[in-house]
Amino acid sequence: MTLRDHLRHLIPSREQLEASRFTRWLAPWLGERQLWRWSRRGVALGVGVGIFFGLLMPLAQTPLSVAAAIALRANVPAALASTLVTNPVTFAPIYYLAWKTGARLTGDASPQDLVEVRRELAGMASAADAGDPHAAKPLGTWQRLRALGKPLLIGLVLFAVAGGLLSYALIWLGWWLAVRLKRRRRTRSAQVHHRSIL
């Protein structure tokens, strides 16, 4: 199975989004072709939106990223794929680094807090990874994350904004460079072909 096939399997289709109880309310707008078109601006913006919500929100990433993609006319599949930046493997390290960054900026952390935060996040990640049905319950997750306080919130906002902007810029620039290189190769090939005819 290729990476593209794997991503297609993980990312909900338009029909699945229209049928889901969480995104059904977005169905009237999901039919717009621009939201599914692979353009430089649309994909870069979709990835930026997905990274932003993927880092900022532990829950409801799909409806929020799809709603933002619709509002900004971004690529919906790119937005959905990018929310996978946080998953059972990356969740604990990202949230721990976000908490540590926020704690450093606010000065609200003691060495004992570091140990407790690390233990709490590792427990949440292992419960989600093991398929614990209670791990995915919104109320429990929000309560556990709220207990980590202001440092986590500040760190997540900082990571989400920086990650969204940086991913947008990198995708846009990478796409632009790829198009320029392709045109240059085409021009060179045409010049070589023209010389060979002469």
Side-chain angles (χ1 to χ4, degrees):
M1 181 182 270
T2 66
L3 179 62
R4 178 183 276 181
D5 294 335
H6 190 63
L7 284 174
R8 278 187 184 153
H9 177 70
L10 289 174
I11 300 168
S13 67
R14 190 175 109 195
E15 293 77 20
Q16 289 170 321
L17 290 172
E18 289 172 343
S20 169
R21 65 186 175 120
F22 299 111
T23 53
R24 190 179 305 138
W25 59 280
L26 297 167
W29 299 281
L30 287 172
E32 292 184 37
R33 285 186 6 195
Q34 183 179 358
L35 301 174
W36 304 91
R37 203 169 64 108
W38 294 90
S39 67
R40 182 185 343 165
R41 181 201 168 275
V43 170
L45 198 51
V47 170
V49 162
I51 295 286
F52 177 82
F53 285 109
L55 291 172
L56 185 64
M57 306 296 295
L59 301 166
Q61 297 168 336
T62 299
L64 290 172
S65 64
V66 171
I70 290 169
L72 296 170
R73 299 290 183 256
N75 182 277
V76 169
L80 288 170
S82 302
T83 62
L84 297 175
V85 68
T86 49
N87 54 61
V89 175
T90 62
F91 171 79
I94 288 173
Y95 274 58
Y96 176 70
L97 287 173
W99 182 88
K100 204 169 178 182
T101 302
R104 191 164 280 167
L105 290 172
T106 60
D108 286 354
S110 68
Q112 182 61 30
D113 290 337
L114 286 171
V115 173
E116 287 180 33
V117 167
R118 198 177 294 152
R119 188 180 314 127
E120 184 72 21
L121 289 171
M124 289 173 72
S126 63
D129 197 29
D132 181 358
H134 302 293
K137 289 191 176 174
L139 185 59
T141 302
W142 281 117
Q143 286 173 342
R144 292 173 93 172
L145 290 174
R146 212 172 114 216
L148 300 176
K150 192 166 103 179
L152 178 64
L153 179 63
I154 290 171
L156 287 177
V157 168
L158 184 67
F159 279 25
V161 170
L165 290 173
L166 185 63
S167 59
Y168 172 83
L170 288 174
I171 296 291
W172 196 94
L173 183 62
W175 194 303
W176 179 79
L177 285 171
V179 168
R180 294 267 313 205
L181 289 171
K182 193 174 181 180
R183 281 185 190 152
R184 189 176 292 172
R185 269 190 243 119
R186 230 185 262 152
T187 304
R188 283 185 186 158
S189 176
Q191 288 171 349
V192 168
H193 181 70
H194 182 69
R195 284 181 197 143
S196 68
I197 291 173
L198 297 173

